[in-house]
Amino acid sequence: MEPVKIGIIGTGNISDWYLRGAARSNLIKVKAIADIRLDVARAKAETFGTQAVTVEDLLADPEIEIVMNLTLPMVHAEVSRRILEAGKHVYVEKPITATFAEAGPILKLAREKGLRIGGAPDTFLGGAHQAARGLVDAGAIGRPVGGAVTFMTRSSAHRYANPTFFIFKQGGGPMLDMGAYYITQLINIMGPVKRVTAVSTNGIPRREVIEGPLKGSVIDVEVPTFHNGAIQFANGANVAISLSWEVHRHRRSHTEIYGTEGSLTMTDPNFFGGTPQITRGNGDWTDIDTSAYAFGKPNRVMDDGRSEGDYRMIGVVDMAMAIRNNRPHRANGDMCMHVLEVLEGFERSSNEGRHIEIATPCERPAAVPKGTDEEVFTV
Ligand SMILES: NC(=O)c1ccc[n+]([C@@H]2O[C@H](COP(=O)([O-])OP(=O)(O)OC[C@H]3O[C@@H](n4cnc5c(N)ncnc54)[C@H](O)[C@@H]3O)[C@@H](O)[C@H]2O)c1
């Protein structure tokens, strides 16, 4: 089968991850990439063996079927609209749009045009998350009744050349930047969210940039950077959530799920692999064998020396195969919009002093079957 041809708009930091992922796939091929900074796109095209073109030429290329929107959140809606109007399927980095209000019209446009919309994160398709889901589906912890998720650091300011964008200003903060990984990880296990509630605060309203060109400058923090909330899933499970950029150290794990017959700890949802653990009742924690599942093995050494499974792009590969085989794709627009409604719901709940019911319909995506890399998506 001919690989499905992909285009990428937005060739900043995260595009490297996807271009690396694309290079590992025989099912898709990145035919062209584009950016308003054409020089940046050209340099990237040279590194990854593709071609840089203008946004207009990319959208006019009849061979390109799916266009990835890896631009910044504030232009996600506008760029996705152009992609759909050019008659192409779109796959968007998270969040699907900068605000929940912008998402509905984009999904509607896709539906009207008979085109697909998909979006990040695709980490839940990774081996560790699918192996854990397989055990929950088989009843290994009984019926899930609760859980807890935690992402707490002092801040991410040091990681960005310009950290003010999606970190400390409107449209940013720990919930909008990191929450999608956790909520999507939980939906993969338990299905859609029914309602959320939270206390969201801004405990450190002025921050000093600690690295990069803006080092030493002070940022006014405009958004809450500490959220403590609770999520009730449609299946009834009650999950605590803490996301913060105000914590130096803590001893809580990423994601735990508590069932009537046992407990589960899951791995970092920003990555695909790792070793989840399970208990039967009150017994000892035991490692879950993830080896029968694709996209979990460590394949990348990170800057801090640890090894991780980095398979960003498999959501696009799944979408490409779903188009060919006329089946639903897993990292889909409905779920992205549902997740964004949840993420905005925490701050709304805190501001309005009430629980927020989540209205966007979302179905739990199909499990990824056991098998080797890529073969699992071809059916
Ligand atoms: N950097 C990360 O670690 C990371 C991780 C996960 C997800 N993301 C998400 O990926 C997206 C991109 O983040 P990034 O870190 O790569 O940002 P970035 O600023 O490095 O790259 C964004 C690129 O988009 C281009 N661009 C902006 N508007 C455009 C337009 N209208 N048309 C064409 N190109 C345009 C910019 O010139 C820039 O090269 C964001 O939605 C972010 O939330 C980033």
Side-chain angles (χ1 to χ4, degrees):
M1 190 190 67
E2 273 286 295
V4 176
K5 305 269 192 326
I6 311 285
I8 294 180
I9 300 181
T11 57
N13 292 322
I14 202 64
S15 67
D16 288 29
W17 296 56
Y18 287 102
L19 286 160
R20 264 197 304 271
R24 282 191 293 266
S25 176
N26 295 315
L27 301 175
I28 58 163
K29 180 175 168 46
V30 176
K31 186 174 177 207
I33 63 178
D35 197 291
I36 40 174
R37 301 181 299 162
L38 197 53
D39 54 323
V40 173
R42 281 208 186 99
K44 234 155 242 196
E46 192 154 314
T47 308
F48 289 98
T50 180
Q51 56 171 331
V53 298
T54 63
V55 172
E56 290 70 27
D57 286 349
L58 189 147
L59 292 176
D61 186 329
E63 282 196 352
I64 292 177
E65 286 185 58
I66 301 174
V67 178
M68 300 180 65
N69 178 356
L70 307 184
T71 61
L72 289 170
M74 49 278 227
V75 292
H76 278 179
E78 174 202 323
V79 173
S80 291
R81 176 173 296 282
R82 284 185 71 189
I83 294 168
L84 290 166
E85 278 168 354
K88 303 192 185 298
H89 308 288
V90 58
Y91 184 96
V92 197
E93 243 304 344
K94 55 87 195 157
I96 185 160
T97 44
T99 62
F100 173 67
E102 286 177 298
I106 296 295
L107 263 67
K108 184 164 170 275
L109 179 64
R111 255 193 315 276
E112 284 167 2
K113 293 203 159 273
L115 293 165
R116 306 258 186 154
I117 178 157
D122 58 359
T123 45
F124 72 98
L125 301 172
H129 309 292
Q130 292 293 326
R133 171 181 173 155
L135 281 177
V136 174
D137 287 357
I141 60 166
R143 182 170 53 83
V145 291
V149 305
T150 307
F151 173 84
M152 300 195 298
T153 66
R154 184 63 172 78
S155 93
S156 295
H158 62 285
R159 286 170 32 208
Y160 298 96
N162 182 352
T164 61
F165 263 138
F166 38 96
I167 305 298
F168 297 127
K169 299 292 178 190
Q170 288 305 330
M175 192 56 85
L176 282 180
D177 194 42
M178 294 306 294
Y181 297 104
Y182 290 86
I183 303 299
T184 309
Q185 178 186 46
L186 291 170
I187 291 173
N188 175 47
I189 301 281
M190 297 200 282
V193 171
K194 184 174 181 303
R195 62 176 177 157
V196 301
T197 185
V199 175
S200 303
T201 49
N202 176 0
I204 310 176
R206 285 172 69 75
R207 299 275 186 125
E208 190 178 326
V209 179
I210 55 179
E211 250 179 43
L214 298 184
K215 185 174 173 197
S217 59
V218 172
I219 298 172
D220 287 320
V221 179
E222 290 176 0
V223 292
T225 48
F226 211 136
H227 301 267
N228 279 311
I231 310 167
Q232 186 174 22
F233 282 80
N235 73 356
N238 178 354
V239 177
I241 179 166
S242 294
L243 263 73
S244 175
W245 278 334
E246 298 181 10
V247 176
H248 284 285
R249 295 196 72 173
H250 66 85
R251 304 185 92 168
R252 293 160 60 172
S253 49
H254 281 286
T255 304
E256 303 189 349
I257 293 176
Y258 315 123
T260 51
E261 312 299 326
S263 293
L264 172 70
T265 61
M266 299 190 55
T267 53
D268 184 349
N270 200 8
F271 292 96
F272 296 76
T275 307
Q277 292 188 311
I278 196 166
T279 75
R280 313 275 170 193
N282 192 29
D284 289 338
W285 291 103
T286 55
D287 289 354
I288 293 175
D289 179 7
T290 65
S291 59
Y293 288 85
F295 308 114
K297 291 178 195 63
N299 60 354
R300 182 163 167 213
V301 179
M302 308 301 292
D303 291 344
D304 62 6
R306 71 182 200 281
S307 294
E308 292 284 3
D310 163 21
Y311 296 93
R312 269 177 173 76
M313 199 70 170
I314 60 177
V316 181
V317 178
D318 175 55
M319 186 162 137
M321 292 303 100
I323 292 166
R324 285 287 180 274
N325 296 314
N326 198 25
R327 62 161 173 82
H329 56 287
R330 293 174 171 89
N332 63 72
D334 290 341
M335 183 166 67
C336 295
M337 182 169 159
H338 182 87
V339 167
L340 185 54
E341 187 178 13
V342 169
L343 300 184
E344 285 192 3
F346 293 109
E347 193 179 337
R348 265 185 70 204
S349 162
S350 183
N351 290 344
E352 297 173 20
R354 63 183 184 94
H355 293 188
I356 303 294
E357 298 284 330
I358 303 304
T360 311
C362 161
E363 279 177 31
R364 187 164 80 131
V368 178
K370 290 179 183 172
T372 54
D373 289 3
E374 301 237 320
E375 158 198 298
V376 294
F377 291 140
T378 54
V379 287

